[in-house]
Amino acid sequence: MDGNGLQFGYIESGIAGITVTLLGDFNGDDDYVVLAVTSTDADGKYLFDDLPDGDYRVVVDTEDPDIPVG
């Protein structure tokens, strides 16, 4: 809500139903591949578990219709 990119407790709650994609780079060449896709739960939380060591990126689908305007 305040534009700082961080979620602040109960004031800035999570958003349910947002598509989140996990990308992994295991070669160290910045060639990320899709490893998993999930959606946020009712509290806006998500989990990718049992991951081996490596470099990862999490991408939020900004075109998801569940993201509120603004």
Side-chain angles (χ1 to χ4, degrees), residues 1-2 4 6 9 13 15 17 19-20 22 26 31 37 48 50-51 54 56 60 64-65 70:
M1 294 176 75
D2 61 12
N4 70 356
L6 302 174
S13 60
I15 304 169
T19 302
V20 181
L22 178 68
F26 299 107
D31 188 21
V37 178
F48 298 108
D50 297 323
L51 298 173
Y56 298 94
V60 174
D64 192 307

Side-chain angles (χ1 to χ4, degrees), residues 34-65:
V34 174
L35 300 177
V37 178
T38 192
S39 294
T40 56
D41 67 12
D43 295 320
K45 297 177 182 178
Y46 62 91
L47 175 68
F48 298 108
D49 57 358
D50 297 323
L51 298 173
D53 289 342
D55 292 328
Y56 298 94
R57 289 186 181 172
V58 174
V59 178
V60 174
D61 180 4
T62 59
E63 300 297 317
D64 192 307

